Amino acid sequence: MKRKSNRYTLDVTSLNAFYGKAQILFNMSLGIDRGEVVVLLGRNGAGKTTTFKSIMGIVKPKGGKILFNGQEIQDLPPYQTCGLGLGYVPEDRRVFSRLTILENLEVGRQPERKGLEPWTYQRLFELFPNLSERRNQFAGTLSGGEQQMLTIARTLMGNPEVVILDEPSEGLAPVIVDQLAATIRQIKNEGVSILLAEQNLSFAKRICDRAYLIYHGSVCYESPLDQLDNDEYEKYCSI
């Protein structure tokens, strides 16, 4: 697939990644601009989570480049990647169950970033009113949807330029999915870029600008989401 090099805020080019001797990513290339919401669509095992972990430095890629604001980051450890302005919300959420909501948020705090309004408790509680009502409650007592919201809020406390969300709607009740969609749109309006993996196409269509279809560890199709070819989607993503 042809693409303009170094065009994006986050630019992944020809990335290869392995678990042991098993290759998972094959020349993976994708990108996201500031203020975009971009989705990776694909079946389980297609390589979406490995792509995210490679970007964050959790999995060390073997070949290819990852540029963030023009800086190569593919060899950086996760804490340095986060320090540059990338935030990651994993599929399994990983709240600190024995800390309160306020304490979880404080764990994620990082310095302000030029060009972005810093996230404060007040702004986050306006974005997540359910968390405001329970701010002194232990995170382990929250529902799955509330824990998802808390993990996103904790990530925003790091004042990221790009937030990576892995299957954010999975396992959530429809009313919580509706709230999550509205929240992601609000975050986008703040100038934060969002890269997410999803299997819920209807959810993705409500919030995303562009889509990459992922198949066997590489991008097989790219399109604005409102122009997504249904035949291509069925071919590569339907279960």
Side-chain angles (χ1 to χ4, degrees):
M1 178 178 296
K2 294 182 179 179
R3 59 195 299 275
K4 186 175 179 181
S5 180
N6 301 347
R7 166 188 167 192
Y8 299 107
T9 299
L10 177 63
D11 199 333
V12 177
T13 305
S14 300
L15 201 66
N16 295 291
F18 295 73
Y19 290 126
K21 295 182 178 180
Q23 186 168 359
I24 307 300
L25 301 184
F26 298 81
N27 295 315
M28 174 70 73
S29 296
L30 57 89
I32 181 169
D33 272 328
R34 183 164 183 173
E36 272 196 310
V37 181
V38 175
V39 63
L40 307 189
L41 297 169
R43 301 181 182 123
N44 285 335
K48 303 185 297 297
T49 296
T50 303
T51 299
F52 291 168
K53 289 183 175 180
S54 297
I55 291 171
M56 295 305 302
I58 299 168
V59 171
K60 293 299 182 184
K62 296 182 180 179
K65 287 186 178 181
I66 306 170
L67 297 179
F68 181 50
N69 289 327
Q71 177 181 346
E72 290 192 21
I73 64 170
Q74 66 271 4
D75 296 322
L76 297 183
Y79 77 92
Q80 289 186 1
T81 303
C82 291
L84 291 174
L86 284 168
Y88 180 44
V89 179
E91 184 179 0
D92 54 2
R93 298 162 191 159
R94 298 187 185 181
V95 299
F96 296 100
S97 60
R98 295 188 179 183
L99 299 182
T100 67
I101 286 175
L102 284 172
E103 289 168 337
N104 267 269
L105 294 179
E106 192 60 32
V107 168
R109 183 186 294 277
Q110 289 194 46
E112 300 178 15
R113 299 188 197 280
K114 185 177 180 180
L116 290 174
E117 184 180 353
W119 289 95
T120 62
Y121 291 149
Q122 180 179 353
R123 290 185 70 207
L124 288 171
F125 288 147
E126 289 173 355
L127 190 62
F128 303 101
N130 288 0
L131 299 184
S132 178
E133 297 168 1
R134 297 168 173 78
R135 64 183 67 189
N136 294 311
Q137 189 170 322
F138 290 120
T141 65
L142 301 176
S143 69
E146 290 167 341
Q147 289 188 6
Q148 181 69 287
M149 298 296 184
L150 175 56
T151 310
I152 295 172
R154 186 181 64 197
T155 301
L156 290 175
M157 277 293 284
N159 295 308
E161 287 187 55
V162 176
V163 172
I164 296 174
L165 302 173
D166 197 353
E167 304 280 1
S169 73
E170 184 177 25
L172 301 184
V175 65
I176 302 299
V177 172
D178 290 342
Q179 293 176 15
L180 180 61
T183 298
I184 290 174
R185 287 194 294 267
Q186 287 181 262
I187 294 170
K188 174 188 175 180
N189 290 338
E190 298 289 342
V192 178
S193 306
I194 299 171
L195 178 63
L196 68 149
E198 261 298 334
Q199 294 193 55
N200 184 338
L201 181 58
S202 63
F203 175 76
K205 285 182 174 180
R206 294 163 60 186
I207 60 173
C208 297
D209 301 302
R210 290 190 297 116
Y212 291 95
L213 303 190
I214 309 298
Y215 186 73
H216 287 180
S218 62
V219 172
C220 57
Y221 180 83
E222 175 188 356
S223 170
L225 200 54
D226 59 2
Q227 300 173 27
L228 181 66
D229 187 305
N230 288 332
D231 290 339
E232 294 287 340
Y233 176 79
E234 290 294 327
K235 178 179 179 181
Y236 294 111
C237 300
S238 62
I239 298 174

